[in-house]
Amino acid sequence: MNNEKKFKIIITDPVDAILLEKLREKDFSVDYYPKISEEDLLNIINQYNGIVVRSRTKVTKDLIDRGKELKFVARAGVGLDGIDLNSLQDRKISIIHAPEASTSSVAELTFALMLGSCRRLPELAAATKLGNFSKEVGTEISGKTFGLIGFGRIGYKVAEIARAFDMSILAYDVITNDRINKVSGQYVALDDLVQNSDFIGVFVTIKPGDKPILGKREFSLSRKKPGIINTSRAAAIDGPSLLEALKTGTTSFYASDVMWNEPPKTEWEHELLSLPQVIITPHIGAQTREAQARIAEATAARIIEMFGGVR
Ligand code: NAD
């Protein structure tokens, strides 16, 4: 087949090799530029019919306007917050993503962060390597109350695992789901969740312009000095108010996989990172071999299903 006539796809972030293999098997022309700069991408996007991104590449109005031949934008992952959905809709460009593929990996990381904070693992393990064999007292999660803000795919998976630790589940969400009964949980108002939880997990989706869900007022309500775990989006929390809550002790720890700026830019983000009761990982929720393979398979399958017969 003449290469010029092929349906051309550009992949602009690192993805599992399966994605490239599956698309090339179906005769798509695929260019893999996982480190391409924003400027270079803007200059060549008009040559492509589809683009596959992860969180590094922002799909802006400018990029979409210049992508005159674009038929789809695929996010090899879950969050669509880096994509200008209104511009896609205006141009009737399809959006593809793989929302379920990383759920277990993110839920597992949630417990790694939570247990790591409760037993101060990063700090004590680093000290042990330096020859300081100091035994510190931590806390258990078993039997405690876990308040989940956002009870979607990840929130539910986290609740299932939490039940194995004999935790009680409270959930706050803008929509309700019968699955709450499967984990013997209870929907409550946000204020009740904040007041009654030993641990608060944040598992919400965030759209551009959304206000933080946890801010100064909510932190001031907490009675149990909860530890907060956030593997969703940092914007769900007001950062400076969180910093204050950690410094005054109304919140006992913050363990997160996400930052307001990735990598962090502001002074208060750096101050937050420097606190001993804060653990932040570099957005690795979906960074397991299994999740990456599932994401690649699911993304390729959807592209092939929608555009495999177009050429
Ligand atoms: P989901 O859509 O299944 O669940 C999100 C839930 O949040 C929904 O039930 C929704 O009703 C609820 N929600 C939205 N806004 C809310 C609000 N203002 N107040 C209360 N509830 C609200 O999504 P998911 O697959 O469970 O993913 C959850 C989050 O995790 C997303 O933000 C996603 O981008 C993020 N995520 C992070 C990683 C990572 O690498 N750390 C990987 C995958 C997903």
Side-chain angles (χ1 to χ4, degrees):
M1 187 188 287
N2 177 349
N3 194 41
E4 289 308 305
K5 293 219 173 109
K6 284 190 179 183
F7 194 97
K8 289 187 74 176
I9 298 174
I10 183 168
I11 302 180
T12 61
D13 286 325
V15 295
D16 192 287
I18 298 172
L19 180 50
L20 282 81
E21 269 168 40
K22 294 264 174 197
L23 292 175
R24 285 177 178 154
E25 257 172 30
K26 292 288 174 189
D27 220 19
F28 287 98
S29 159
V30 183
D31 288 336
Y32 185 46
Y33 299 128
K35 290 183 180 165
I36 192 166
S37 71
E38 196 181 334
E39 196 189 342
D40 288 348
L41 178 59
L42 283 170
N43 286 331
I44 60 169
I45 190 66
N46 62 351
Q47 302 167 25
Y48 294 94
N49 308 108
I51 177 170
V52 180
V53 302
R54 289 183 60 202
S55 52
R56 188 189 72 98
T57 305
K58 304 298 171 218
V59 183
T60 59
K61 178 169 182 346
D62 194 15
L63 185 71
I64 296 164
D65 286 347
R66 292 192 193 205
K68 299 277 180 227
E69 305 297 326
L70 277 181
K71 300 276 183 289
F72 77 81
V73 171
R75 162 81 163 94
V78 182
L80 300 178
D81 41 338
I83 298 174
D84 184 335
L85 297 175
N86 291 334
S87 297
L88 292 187
Q89 210 173 12
D90 291 346
R91 287 263 315 276
K92 297 194 167 41
I93 296 171
S94 304
I95 177 80
I96 290 170
H97 67 147
E100 61 301 306
S102 55
T103 301
S104 350
S105 291
V106 180
E108 287 185 16
L109 181 68
T110 301
F111 284 91
L113 287 166
M114 190 170 175
L115 292 163
S117 289
C118 285
R119 305 301 285 268
R120 297 171 56 182
L121 294 187
E123 190 187 335
L124 297 186
T128 306
K129 286 198 183 213
L130 294 173
N132 178 6
F133 214 80
S134 120
K135 298 186 188 209
E136 301 288 343
V137 175
T139 53
E140 289 186 355
I141 66 169
S142 298
K144 303 275 171 63
T145 300
F146 198 176
L148 314 178
I149 301 181
F151 191 67
R153 284 174 288 264
I154 295 171
Y156 175 66
K157 187 74 197 166
V158 165
E160 277 191 322
I161 300 170
R163 289 298 295 149
F165 282 101
D166 205 20
M167 299 184 88
S168 307
I169 305 298
L170 298 178
Y172 165 72
D173 199 307
V174 286
I175 49 168
T176 57
N177 188 317
D178 285 350
R179 288 200 296 187
I180 195 78
N181 300 322
K182 292 195 183 166
V183 291
S184 308
Q186 189 189 345
Y187 280 110
V188 292
L190 179 61
D191 288 3
D192 292 334
L193 181 145
V194 171
Q195 280 170 355
N196 296 307
S197 298
D198 299 293
F199 301 96
I200 296 176
V202 184
F203 311 107
V204 291
T205 37
I206 288 285
K207 297 185 295 309
D210 279 356
K211 291 215 175 76
I213 299 168
L214 290 178
K216 194 176 164 98
R217 193 188 75 83
E218 289 71 28
F219 291 121
S220 73
L221 293 175
S222 64
R223 291 194 208 125
K224 294 174 139 185
K225 301 186 176 162
I228 298 178
I229 308 98
N230 183 2
T231 47
S232 59
R233 288 293 180 264
I237 301 180
D238 179 59
S241 304
L242 169 68
L243 177 61
E244 193 55 30
L246 286 160
K247 289 203 300 196
T248 56
T250 45
T251 294
S252 64
F253 68 75
Y254 183 62
S256 176
D257 186 39
V258 284
M259 286 296 278
W260 293 263
N261 295 292
E262 295 182 357
K265 273 190 204 151
T266 60
E267 213 171 290
W268 63 263
E269 282 175 294
H270 287 290
E271 190 181 350
L272 187 91
L273 267 171
S274 73
L275 297 178
Q277 68 275 41
V278 170
I279 301 178
I280 297 191
T281 47
H283 209 141
I284 53 166
Q287 293 286 105
T288 59
R289 273 189 282 278
E290 295 81 357
Q292 288 305 307
R294 282 192 300 266
I295 287 170
E297 295 266 8
T299 307
R302 297 231 44 214
I303 295 172
I304 291 163
E305 185 190 322
M306 292 172 80
F307 298 99
V310 164
R311 292 149 297 145

